Amino acid sequence: RTVLSSERSAIGGGTSARAAGELIATARRTGRSDDPLVRQTVAAAYIREAVLDLQIQRMQAGDANPAAGSVVKLMYSQHAGLTSGAAMNLLGAAAVAGDAERGWQERFLFAPGLRLGGGTDEIQRNIIAERGLGLPREPTR
């Protein structure tokens, strides 16, 4: 459990999803930064990343929550998928038509793997419920 917790923390502290700034740049580059829906999507990515950074700082400062690694890993994997998906939507056909957007392509294709490594999102939610919130274990069938 200790090794898996460390793995979750490491996955959650990764840099492949740290892309809110790049998403902002993509919105500007595509001329869509004035679109209210795009602005909401970009703002949500920026906020997710800021909250993720705060959670990592709490964990590194010795947060006593035994599920902190799972919280960070879950937040990170969701942020990676949402941010790369938003970029692909912004880019439209250009997202898959050439090499110019290869970074976003790679992030988009890598995002589902983040949901599996170190335990699936569902496992992370169970760990958070049991260890972090003290809820009873999920019943066995």
Side-chain angles (χ1 to χ4, degrees):
R1 287 184 178 186
T2 301
V3 171
L4 283 174
S5 180
S6 294
E7 180 183 1
R8 291 176 188 122
S9 298
I11 290 170
T15 58
S16 67
R18 304 241 180 260
E22 291 176 50
L23 187 61
I24 293 167
T26 300
R28 288 181 178 143
R29 191 173 66 252
T30 59
R32 302 207 35 218
S33 60
D34 289 334
D35 180 334
L37 293 177
V38 170
R39 292 174 67 86
Q40 284 181 344
T41 301
V42 170
Y46 183 85
I47 292 167
R48 278 193 312 271
E49 198 165 296
V51 171
L52 178 58
D53 289 341
L54 290 172
Q55 186 64 28
I56 290 170
Q57 289 173 6
R58 288 181 67 195
M59 190 173 65
Q60 291 172 342
D63 184 356
N65 184 342
S70 291
V71 170
V72 168
K73 194 272 183 187
L74 182 61
M75 290 172 64
Y76 180 78
S77 64
Q78 289 180 340
H79 176 60
L82 291 169
T83 303
S84 62
M88 299 298 272
N89 285 333
L90 270 173
L91 295 165
V96 294
D99 290 337
E101 303 299 337
R102 188 164 189 87
W104 283 121
Q105 292 168 353
E106 290 173 0
R107 284 186 175 136
F108 182 75
L109 294 172
F110 186 67
L114 286 172
R115 296 183 66 208
L116 300 174
T120 65
D121 289 356
E122 291 77 12
I123 289 172
Q124 302 313 315
R125 288 185 182 100
N126 281 341
I127 292 169
I128 292 166
E130 293 168 14
R131 294 188 199 153
L133 301 173
L135 297 174
R137 292 182 64 91
E138 190 171 299
T140 57
R141 293 176 197 192

